[in-house]
Amino acid sequence: QSFPTLGPSADYAHQDGDSKAIFGQVIYAINEDLNVTFGIRRTEESKDFERNPGAFMPDLSATDPSSRPSISEMSQTVMALSGDLDSSNTSIKLGFDYHYNDDVMFFINYAEGFKAGEFGARASSPLTLGPTEDEESTSFELGVKSELMDGRVRLNATIFQSEFENLQFGVFIPSPDNPTGQETANQNIGEATNRGLEIELTAVPVDNLTIQASIGYLDAEYDKFCADLNGPGPLDTSDC
């Protein structure tokens, strides 16, 4: 990015990432009506990050686009900030589906997920570079799928809940040494829960006429929220 009126200066960030995973799933019929599903996934991620938070560009002009440095030019500047991350996670999925009859099926599922830690693409100092801790989630859902009235009506309904830990957010904090007076720090700011309901209806009341309708309800809240707004301080310290 170029900032003709701040410095004038331009900044640059680059990241190489590698993600590898192995996963499998098995479905076992307990009896004619009840199935159990189990899945497992192993993920390994690595990230190499580098950033020049601001290079002085005396010829940079707000009115002359050609004065702006190219990405290749910025990639050759000194990278004052750098870091690497190695992250791994094992997550599972467990579910049951019960066929009440040929037209109605009930199901319940549990699943885990994760998002690897990340670096601050707008960081201006080692204290805000990161990385954050991995973000993790668990989700539950309970629902029914049905075809009624000789297949003329399809009705599906699901209730769900997802819980998140170590949420990753960009937080603006004061930075007197930065030309903008602030910088963005990526932080793990807390925990959250989403819960809701989804209903889908498809009906064919007469031949050549299809009616579709759906409704969803979502209730989302922070269970825990704390962002350190005091700015850079000693490493591994926080008001949260």
Side-chain angles (χ1 to χ4, degrees), residues 58-180:
D59 298 327
L60 190 61
S61 171
T63 59
D64 182 9
S66 65
S67 68
R68 300 170 187 172
S70 66
I71 293 178
S72 60
E73 290 174 327
M74 289 300 298
S75 69
Q76 302 303 313
T77 61
V78 177
M79 300 298 150
L81 304 176
S82 63
D84 59 81
L85 168 70
D86 292 306
S87 182
S88 61
N89 175 270
T90 300
S91 55
I92 66 168
K93 172 184 178 180
L94 178 64
F96 293 89
D97 60 85
Y98 175 69
H99 296 257
Y100 180 74
N101 55 38
D102 291 340
D103 301 319
V104 179
M105 181 193 74
F106 298 95
F107 63 90
I108 182 171
N109 291 315
Y110 166 82
E112 299 173 344
F114 105 110
K115 177 185 176 185
E118 56 185 24
F119 291 93
R122 300 297 303 277
S124 297
S125 68
L127 300 176
T128 55
L129 175 64
T132 61
E133 296 181 15
D134 296 345
E135 181 178 317
E136 298 181 342
S137 68
T138 56
S139 62
F140 305 84
E141 62 176 1
L142 174 66
V144 58
K145 296 181 181 292
S146 63
E147 290 194 358
L148 311 172
M149 300 179 65
D150 296 325
R152 286 190 174 271
V153 175
R154 176 176 297 167
L155 179 63
N156 301 329
T158 305
I159 57 175
F160 61 87
Q161 176 171 300
S162 298
E163 299 177 351
F164 301 88
E165 296 182 352
N166 291 331
L167 283 170
Q168 301 168 355
F169 271 81
V171 179
F172 292 106
I173 61 176
S175 179
D177 296 331
N178 193 306
T180 64

Side-chain angles (χ1 to χ4, degrees), residues 201-231:
L201 173 67
T202 301
V204 184
V206 297
D207 293 345
N208 302 318
L209 175 62
T210 300
I211 299 174
Q212 295 180 320
S214 62
I215 187 172
Y217 171 77
L218 178 65
D219 176 25
E221 63 180 356
Y222 288 107
D223 303 311
K224 178 182 177 182
F225 183 96
C226 184
D228 191 348
L229 303 179
N230 289 332

